[in-house]
Amino acid sequence: MTRREFTFYIWTKYLRPILLICIILFCGNFLINNFRENSFNDILTIGTIIIIILSIYISFYFLGIFIDSLREKIVSKLPDSIKSLLRVLSNIIDFISPFIMGALIYYFWLKDKPIAIVLTLVILIQKISHFIKSKEGNESKLKQ
């Protein structure tokens, strides 16, 4: 293992989760103190909204890590026929999910515009991070 691989391994396995947990704790502390000291009308500031979005994103990040680890453990024990069926279902869900998310955003836009904006931002951030990860994966394949 080279120095770069070791540093990347330490960052992804240990340092990044610790950093994200610290961010969640500081955001939660800020929100709790903000709720205690201010009235409800003063709470909806831009900073608070940004921290709420950041907390939601980090929570989804950890939830994704947890689901990925469970999926790897479960799928590794399944027979090949079920694995191929799961791949087909995954492709169908990947195709349908933008339509479902679009319908959800439209529904929330009609009911409550801030929820639709937050949902759109979360989806956009997720798509950008997925695009960056896939691009990094393609670049590492080209180097090999």
Side-chain angles (χ1 to χ4, degrees), residues 30-68:
F30 172 77
L31 289 173
I32 289 170
N33 289 336
N34 202 2
F35 282 123
R36 281 187 199 155
E37 296 171 3
N38 299 327
S39 67
F40 186 73
N41 294 333
D42 296 338
I43 291 174
L44 296 176
T45 62
I46 298 295
T48 306
I49 292 172
I50 290 172
I51 288 176
I52 290 171
I53 291 171
L54 182 64
S55 299
I56 291 170
Y57 178 74
I58 291 172
S59 300
F60 283 141
Y61 173 77
F62 281 120
L63 182 65
I65 290 174
F66 177 70
I67 289 173
D68 285 343

Side-chain angles (χ1 to χ4, degrees), residues 31-138:
L31 289 173
I32 289 170
N33 289 336
N34 202 2
F35 282 123
R36 281 187 199 155
E37 296 171 3
N38 299 327
S39 67
F40 186 73
N41 294 333
D42 296 338
I43 291 174
L44 296 176
T45 62
I46 298 295
T48 306
I49 292 172
I50 290 172
I51 288 176
I52 290 171
I53 291 171
L54 182 64
S55 299
I56 291 170
Y57 178 74
I58 291 172
S59 300
F60 283 141
Y61 173 77
F62 281 120
L63 182 65
I65 290 174
F66 177 70
I67 289 173
D68 285 343
S69 67
L70 278 179
R71 182 178 46 191
E72 289 174 6
K73 291 176 184 174
I74 292 172
V75 169
S76 65
K77 296 177 182 177
L78 294 175
D80 289 336
S81 61
I82 295 178
K83 286 181 186 177
S84 64
L85 177 65
L86 288 176
R87 274 188 233 112
V88 169
L89 287 174
S90 173
N91 290 337
I92 292 171
I93 290 171
D94 287 343
F95 181 76
I96 294 174
S97 66
F99 298 110
I100 294 171
M101 295 310 290
L104 280 173
I105 291 171
Y106 178 74
Y107 172 77
F108 283 125
W109 186 260
L110 293 177
K111 294 290 182 184
D112 193 15
K113 288 181 175 46
I115 294 175
I117 292 170
V118 169
L119 184 62
T120 304
L121 288 174
V122 168
I123 293 169
L124 182 63
I125 290 170
Q126 189 269 337
K127 291 295 182 184
I128 290 171
S129 67
H130 177 72
F131 177 73
I132 290 171
K133 286 179 186 177
S134 66
K135 190 170 184 174
E136 287 174 356
N138 291 338

